[in-house]
Amino acid sequence: MSFINYSAREINCKIVYYGPGLCGKTTNLQYIFSKMRPESRGKMISLATETERTLFFDFLPLSLGDVRGFKTRFHLYTVPGQVFYDASRKLILKGVDGVVFVADSQITRVDANVESFENMRVNLKEQGYDLDRIPLAIQYNKRDLDNIASVSELHALLNYRNVPEFEVVAINGIGVFETLKAIIKQVLVELRRGAARY
C-alpha cells in the first residue's frame, strides 16, 4: 500500500522482486542502481550471506518526477529466494504495491519457478493481497543460457493473468528497465484508481 506524506508532498510506493533463489532478483536491482543518475536514487543496501545470496532485502528508492504536485518515490526490494527465509519474504511483502516475478529460464529451474510463484500467492494472501489483482510483471531471466525453457512453456506455467512479461538477460540489462517501467505504470494506474488494498 503506497504511503502518502502530505507535508513532504511525496508518494512512496513499494515494488518487490520475487522469485526462486539465484534467479536474478538482486542482479536486476544492481543494474537499475548502476544506470540511475545519482540524484535520482538513494543508497542501495544489500545484505548477503557468506555465499553472496540476498539474505533480507535490497532497497533502492527511485525518484521519478511529480504526479499532480506530489513527488513519486519507488522503493525496490528483493526477497531471499531460499525456502528457509519464508518469514522474511512475508515481512518484505507487507505494504507492497506491485510485484515483479523473476523466473529462471533454465529447464532445471522450472519446478523452482512454479514453487516460488505459488509461495508468492500464499504469502500475498497472508498479507491481505490477491495475486489476481495486484500489479504484476513477469520476467523470464537468463535467456542467454543454453538449455532454457521456451517462453510459451513458461507463460503457460506462470502467466495465467496475461500480465506484461519480458525476456530478460539481467546481467547485461536486457529487459530490466522495460520490466520496471511496466510495473511502475501498473502501480500508477492503481494509485489513480485509489485502490488501497488488493
Side-chain angles (χ1 to χ4, degrees):
M1 180 171 57
S2 57
F3 171 72
I4 300 175
N5 183 334
Y6 287 97
S7 61
R9 300 194 64 77
E10 191 173 89
I11 303 172
N12 292 274
C13 302
K14 183 177 186 179
I15 294 173
V16 173
Y17 283 67
Y18 208 101
L22 299 176
C23 66
K25 302 178 292 294
T26 298
T27 306
N28 266 271
L29 263 63
Q30 288 172 333
Y31 185 81
I32 294 166
F33 185 83
S34 73
K35 296 300 178 185
M36 294 293 295
R37 292 176 302 172
E39 61 270 25
S40 298
R41 57 173 165 80
K43 184 178 179 183
M44 183 165 159
I45 300 169
S46 184
L47 303 177
T49 66
E50 293 174 359
T51 55
E52 298 185 30
R53 301 170 81 175
T54 304
L55 178 61
F56 191 55
F57 67 86
D58 297 331
F59 177 73
L60 174 58
L62 300 173
S63 180
L64 297 172
D66 293 349
V67 174
R68 296 182 181 176
F70 283 80
K71 186 187 298 181
T72 55
R73 293 182 70 84
F74 286 85
H75 304 275
L76 309 183
Y77 292 77
T78 67
V79 297
Q82 300 92 324
V83 173
F84 46 88
Y85 291 126
D86 200 43
S88 296
R89 289 199 291 266
K90 292 175 186 176
L91 186 65
I92 293 166
L93 283 174
K94 196 169 187 176
V96 68
D97 293 291
V99 178
V100 173
F101 185 81
V102 182
D104 188 326
S105 294
Q106 296 176 94
I107 289 174
T108 55
R109 300 296 290 163
V110 166
D111 290 344
N113 290 328
V114 172
E115 181 182 342
S116 181
F117 195 85
E118 288 307 312
N119 175 262
M120 178 175 70
R121 177 193 307 280
V122 170
N123 286 341
L124 282 169
K125 188 174 182 180
E126 286 187 19
Q127 298 297 325
Y129 300 99
D130 182 353
L131 179 60
D132 291 340
R133 297 186 60 201
I134 195 166
L136 173 68
I138 297 178
Q139 282 190 350
Y140 306 126
N141 192 23
K142 304 186 183 181
R143 299 306 297 172
D144 58 327
L145 299 182
D146 295 327
N147 202 23
I148 56 175
S150 70
V151 169
S152 60
E153 289 173 297
L154 293 168
H155 176 93
L157 289 168
L158 303 171
N159 197 1
Y160 65 94
R161 279 180 57 190
N162 255 347
V163 298
E165 60 185 6
F166 301 90
E167 294 186 62
V168 173
V169 183
I171 198 162
N172 294 329
I174 297 170
V176 169
F177 274 99
E178 289 82 355
T179 309
L180 180 62
K181 288 175 187 171
I183 194 65
I184 286 175
K185 183 178 178 183
Q186 290 182 64
V187 168
L188 291 176
V189 167
E190 287 299 319
L191 271 179
R192 290 190 187 102
R193 288 178 182 161
R197 298 287 284 178
Y198 305 96

